[in-house]
Amino acid sequence: MATKLIIAIVQDKDSNRLSDIFVDNNIRATKLSTTGGFLQSGNTTFMIGIEEERVDDALALIKDASHARDEFMTPPVNMDVSMEGTTAFPVKVQVGGATVFVLPVDKFTHF
Amino acid sequence: MATKLIIAIVQDKDSNRLSDIFVDNNIRATKLSTTGGFLQSGNTTFMIGIEEERVDDALALIKDASHARDEFMTPPVNMDVSMEGTTAFPVKVQVGGATVFVLPVDKFTHF
Amino acid sequence: MATKLIIAIVQDKDSNRLSDIFVDNNIRATKLSTTGGFLQSGNTTFMIGIEEERVDDALALIKDASHARDEFMTPPVNMDVSMEGTTAFPVKVQVGGATVFVLPVDKFTHF
Ligand code: NI
Ligand code: NI
Ligand code: NI
């Protein structure tokens, strides 16, 4: 039974939910919090040692929790503005997105 | 002579000692300090490019320096307590622990 | 067409320039900012999923942007010094340097 290493880089905003999902599915993930990166906000790297047979299931969970999608956000209202009746309109922004590598592993162990 | 990549994630509290051990054993490790993660305190990721013949020795060093073990810690005494004679009892906590991957490598180089 | 994973650890001071170079050369890199490490200042880890045919080109770009080299730096003058005419002499320091792994990949995907 071969082991694989999944390296998944997701946005910080999706990482807590994804951690919970891994726990619920009995997938042991090592979370490396990182700041910056090519994603606008901070990103989180998960490293998962997993049996080859379960790789596709894990990828489906990652995709479900962290894929790129549009969200509508309302920009903060500038409190300095003297005009009353100012309205902040929601704008569409893309959030989420995951970059995922599946690597062959010679050995995976815990001490 | 094949090269392997060892990725070892250890607790911050063990990382300085492990760095020293790598130096003493002529193992060149790249240390990526990270914060957070599945371990309670911060963790540190080491990446080590090493000849296949030396992998087992390196794993033994990592195990020795960072394996999970129990320690007795005395909780800090609350200075606010007015009762004299208060005693802080040591409690047993698990510390350390390492997650280790050994990966095949096509190429390893320094510039 | 096989995909490879390049893991490149470079100094922070070289990372922005290298990011630009990757963009100019249509190489999609995931940047993991990290602090500390075996390099004196902070270092940055790039993870790049790339076709096997382009690996050598990518390595040449990394080498060019981040290889170890000497630079002359002028130490800051101590403003507290009362002697006039004090001169800060430039000193030679080594900067840059990259550690690079090329790994086989079973699967590389974006969600
Ligand atoms: Ni969706
Ligand atoms: Ni022990
Ligand atoms: Ni040069």
Side-chain angles (χ1 to χ4, degrees):
Chain A
M1 188 185 62
T3 298
K4 299 293 180 184
L5 168 59
I6 299 174
I7 299 178
I9 301 134
V10 306
Q11 276 200 347
D12 283 347
K13 71 172 290 167
D14 292 329
S15 71
N16 283 340
R17 194 157 32 93
L18 188 51
S19 287
D20 289 344
I21 289 169
F22 287 145
V23 170
D24 290 346
N25 287 272
N26 203 26
I27 292 171
R28 182 164 179 173
T30 297
K31 187 161 93 177
L32 306 178
S33 296
T34 50
T35 55
F38 83 110
L39 298 166
Q40 285 164 326
S41 64
N43 55 54
T44 300
T45 301
F46 289 93
M47 298 207 293
I48 301 157
I50 195 164
E51 305 82 31
E52 188 167 14
E53 293 79 10
R54 300 177 69 204
V55 166
D56 286 344
D57 288 346
L59 295 184
L61 295 172
I62 294 166
K63 181 178 183 177
D64 205 48
S66 61
H67 66 95
R69 69 271 182 191
D70 290 329
E71 275 185 13
F72 287 88
M73 297 180 67
T74 303
V77 172
N78 188 343
M79 287 305 170
D80 211 25
V81 168
S82 55
M83 295 182 295
E84 293 178 32
T86 300
T87 307
F89 291 99
V91 293
K92 192 165 77 171
V93 292
Q94 196 189 61
V95 298
T99 298
V100 183
F101 299 90
V102 181
L103 305 180
V105 171
D106 286 343
K107 184 168 191 166
F108 173 49
T109 190
H110 294 281
F111 294 131
Chain B
M1 189 184 62
T3 298
K4 299 292 179 184
L5 168 59
I6 299 174
I7 299 178
I9 301 135
V10 306
Q11 276 200 347
D12 283 347
K13 71 172 291 167
D14 292 328
S15 71
N16 283 340
R17 195 156 32 92
L18 189 51
S19 288
D20 289 344
I21 289 169
F22 287 146
V23 171
D24 290 346
N25 287 272
N26 203 25
I27 292 172
R28 182 163 179 174
T30 298
K31 187 160 93 177
L32 306 177
S33 296
T34 50
T35 55
F38 81 110
L39 298 166
Q40 284 164 325
S41 64
N43 55 54
T44 299
T45 301
F46 289 94
M47 299 208 292
I48 301 157
I50 195 164
E51 304 82 31
E52 188 168 14
E53 293 78 11
R54 300 177 69 203
V55 166
D56 286 344
D57 288 346
L59 295 184
L61 295 172
I62 293 166
K63 181 177 183 177
D64 206 47
S66 61
H67 65 95
R69 68 271 184 191
D70 290 328
E71 275 185 11
F72 287 88
M73 297 180 66
T74 304
V77 172
N78 187 343
M79 288 304 170
D80 210 24
V81 168
S82 54
M83 296 182 295
E84 294 178 31
T86 301
T87 308
F89 292 99
V91 294
K92 192 166 76 171
V93 293
Q94 195 189 61
V95 298
T99 298
V100 183
F101 300 91
V102 181
L103 305 181
V105 170
D106 286 343
K107 184 168 191 165
F108 173 49
T109 190
H110 295 281
F111 295 131
Chain C
M1 189 183 62
T3 299
K4 299 293 178 184
L5 168 59
I6 298 175
I7 299 178
I9 302 134
V10 306
Q11 277 201 345
D12 283 348
K13 71 172 292 167
D14 293 328
S15 72
N16 283 340
R17 195 155 33 92
L18 189 50
S19 287
D20 289 344
I21 289 169
F22 287 145
V23 170
D24 290 346
N25 287 273
N26 203 26
I27 292 172
R28 182 162 179 175
T30 298
K31 187 160 93 177
L32 305 178
S33 297
T34 50
T35 54
F38 82 110
L39 298 166
Q40 284 166 326
S41 65
N43 55 54
T44 300
T45 301
F46 289 93
M47 298 207 294
I48 300 156
I50 195 165
E51 305 82 31
E52 189 167 12
E53 293 79 10
R54 301 178 68 204
V55 166
D56 286 344
D57 289 345
L59 295 184
L61 295 172
I62 294 167
K63 182 177 183 178
D64 205 47
S66 61
H67 65 95
R69 70 269 184 193
D70 291 328
E71 275 185 11
F72 288 89
M73 297 180 68
T74 303
V77 172
N78 188 343
M79 287 305 170
D80 212 24
V81 169
S82 55
M83 295 183 295
E84 294 179 31
T86 299
T87 307
F89 292 98
V91 293
K92 191 164 77 170
V93 293
Q94 196 189 60
V95 298
T99 298
V100 184
F101 300 90
V102 181
L103 305 181
V105 170
D106 286 342
K107 185 168 191 164
F108 173 50
T109 191
H110 295 280
F111 294 131

